[in-house]
Amino acid sequence: MLIPRYFFSGDYTEFYDYFLSKPYRRRTFQKGDMIWNIGETIRYVYYIESGIAKTFVEHEDGYHKILHFHSDGTVYPGCQNSAFKIESSIGTQALSKVETLEFTRENFYQMYQENMALNARILETYSMYINLFIYESAHQDYNNAFIKICNLLYLFSVHSPTGTPNRIDLTQQDIADILTISLVNVTNNLARLRKEKVIVSHRKRIEITDYPKLVSYCSNETLGS
């Protein structure tokens, strides 16, 4: 049974040769560059060849929430005809050097219509997004901060961008921005996990040292079956 994902990678690698056969241009974004700017609607769709990008929503009052991360072998932001107002509040930023194939929205929508395997994969990806957002609104929002953090560390360990499940490449601020809790709350709860020898903190990453104990703190809907 699938569990929620915050980190997406490798979902479209089988379509790489197909993408190369279609009109595109190569775009490289340096660390810190905006791939999709706040205030813009979707104009381009990107296949990420390498690098990591984060997508976040920003409210007019300064509220900032990380939605998810994308890396090698993924397509973002996806494919749809309609332009939604919320798009102007969403941004995607390169966390490292990101190399992409850039397609116009119109060309990618045509590819989506003509290639049924790609069509099915995009629908599956959208289902993963919906699963994540339902999980957050129906379950994660009702957990206390400590359980939320344990759930998040577990989910990132399952879908590790480094291929090393015990290594979580998140800063304390990243955790606060994903879970929309205060940085002080994150710091205090990570200190508890360190004291119990569940984790060891490093600069910009966390190492899980007692995986079974971390799992024991997670909520049932997070663990799946």
Side-chain angles (χ1 to χ4, degrees):
M1 183 178 294
L2 295 178
I3 62 174
R5 292 173 63 179
Y6 287 93
F7 192 94
F8 293 83
S9 65
D11 297 309
Y12 289 84
T13 52
E14 66 191 83
F15 298 99
Y16 184 62
D17 288 339
Y18 173 72
F19 291 152
L20 291 177
S21 72
K22 299 299 178 181
Y24 69 88
R25 68 169 177 164
R26 290 192 179 274
R27 288 287 306 278
T28 298
F29 300 89
Q30 301 301 324
K31 181 179 179 180
D33 287 351
M34 294 299 295
I35 299 174
W36 177 6
N37 282 294
I38 298 289
E40 293 181 348
T41 56
I42 297 172
R43 296 172 56 203
Y44 300 102
V45 177
Y46 296 94
Y47 173 84
I48 299 179
E49 293 183 295
S50 64
I52 301 177
K54 72 173 181 180
T55 295
F56 60 92
V57 62
E58 189 170 85
H59 193 268
E60 57 192 21
D61 64 2
Y63 162 89
H64 184 99
K65 174 177 171 55
I66 295 176
L67 300 176
H68 36 63
F69 299 82
H70 284 78
S71 185
D72 308 17
T74 57
V75 166
Y76 195 74
C79 183
Q80 68 272 343
N81 259 335
S82 302
F84 297 97
K85 183 174 175 56
I86 192 63
E87 291 175 14
S88 63
S89 299
I90 297 175
T92 297
Q93 184 178 34
L95 296 181
S96 65
K97 181 179 179 181
V98 176
E99 296 180 324
T100 72
L101 306 180
E102 181 185 80
F103 303 90
T104 66
R105 180 173 179 157
E106 294 75 19
N107 283 346
F108 198 86
Y109 189 75
Q110 184 177 352
M111 293 156 59
Y112 165 82
Q113 290 180 308
E114 74 178 24
N115 188 318
M116 294 309 298
L118 177 61
N119 184 301
R121 183 59 51 84
I122 290 172
L123 290 175
E124 185 67 19
T125 302
Y126 274 44
S127 297
M128 293 178 186
Y129 294 151
I130 292 169
N131 179 51
L132 173 60
F133 298 144
I134 291 176
Y135 163 75
E136 287 197 326
S137 61
H139 295 289
Q140 189 78 319
D141 282 352
Y142 292 97
N143 293 323
N144 63 45
F146 179 72
I147 295 176
K148 287 181 181 181
I149 291 171
C150 291
N151 286 342
L152 185 68
L153 295 178
Y154 170 78
L155 292 174
F156 266 84
S157 74
V158 173
H159 297 290
S160 170
T162 63
T164 307
N166 286 359
R167 172 175 168 166
I168 311 299
D169 287 310
L170 291 175
T171 66
Q172 293 188 21
Q173 188 62 60
D174 288 336
I175 294 172
D177 287 345
I178 293 171
L179 298 176
T180 61
I181 59 180
S182 71
L183 184 59
V184 171
N185 213 337
V186 172
T187 300
N188 290 340
N189 282 292
L190 289 180
R192 172 183 168 182
L193 290 172
R194 284 196 301 272
K195 184 177 180 180
E196 296 182 15
K197 302 188 185 306
V198 177
I199 66 168
V200 174
S201 295
H202 302 275
R203 187 173 181 270
K204 295 187 178 182
R205 66 182 176 91
I206 295 168
E207 179 186 357
I208 301 172
T209 51
D210 191 337
Y211 198 77
K213 192 164 187 178
L214 175 68
V215 170
S216 74
Y217 285 138
C218 294
S219 55
N220 290 334
E221 72 278 353
T222 300
L223 301 174
S225 61

